[in-house]
Amino acid sequence: MKAVEIPTRAVQGLSVRTRNADEVQADTARIGPLWADFAAQIALHLAQGARVYGVYHRYESDAHGAFDVLAGADALLSTAGDAVALRRVDMAPGPYLVFDAPGALPQAVVDAWARIWRYFDDPLCPHQRAYTTDFECYAPDGLTTICIAVMPS
């Protein structure tokens, strides 16, 4: 894990509203179907070199409340908007902690989120989550990272 300052980034894609408690039950999980829709409707419209993002935003409260998830990219071909109604989110600029998610997808991301929750649940954790925008970044080179917005020191 490393601390970085990230500028604002715009990402366009498909979005759902969910909560972590819903994601542990197959009949109420919405994130998996969101990524399936992304693969079917958006992935064909990625510009060369585009980074794919899973953006968590519009937090109701904390990790227990509702939030929006956007599956999208930072560079789409102009035809993407013709295929589906796209939503846009501007990721909040500021301090983030970056966690690597090595391994095969999607398990690598599931395992990384488990490490992130343990990290922030530790009473000695020196950081506090900001609950502005958090995101997974799927780089063209295969590297996956998860960036968590934290309160400024």
Side-chain angles (χ1 to χ4, degrees):
M1 177 226 5
K2 64 182 175 185
V4 299
E5 283 285 323
I6 294 179
T8 191
R9 293 182 183 157
V11 177
Q12 290 185 308
L14 305 174
S15 184
V16 295
R17 188 145 182 92
T18 190
R19 62 183 66 242
N20 285 322
D22 294 340
E23 293 304 313
V24 297
Q25 303 294 328
D27 58 332
T28 57
R30 302 188 75 197
I31 296 175
L34 171 68
W35 282 106
D37 289 345
F38 173 85
Q41 300 174 31
I42 303 294
L44 298 174
H45 302 282
L46 296 177
Q48 187 169 354
R51 289 180 183 259
V52 172
Y53 292 91
V55 183
Y56 300 78
H57 63 109
R58 290 190 56 224
Y59 285 97
E60 179 180 71
S61 55
D62 57 17
H64 303 289
F67 53 90
D68 286 358
V69 182
L70 181 130
D74 59 0
L76 298 174
L77 300 173
S78 60
T79 57
D82 298 338
V84 294
L86 297 175
R87 297 210 176 178
R88 174 186 161 137
V89 63
D90 294 319
M91 292 186 270
Y96 284 78
L97 295 182
V98 180
F99 296 82
D100 290 334
L105 298 174
Q107 192 59 48
V109 172
V110 172
D111 294 344
W113 274 107
R115 286 194 320 273
I116 291 164
W117 290 326
R118 281 193 307 272
Y119 177 81
F120 285 102
D121 283 343
D122 184 333
L124 300 177
C125 179
H127 299 100
Q128 181 181 356
R129 287 184 66 181
Y131 291 102
T132 53
T133 54
D134 303 312
F135 60 93
E136 302 155 358
C137 179
Y138 302 91
D141 63 5
L143 178 64
T144 302
T145 55
I146 300 176
C147 299
I148 305 295
V150 293
M151 300 300 287
S153 304

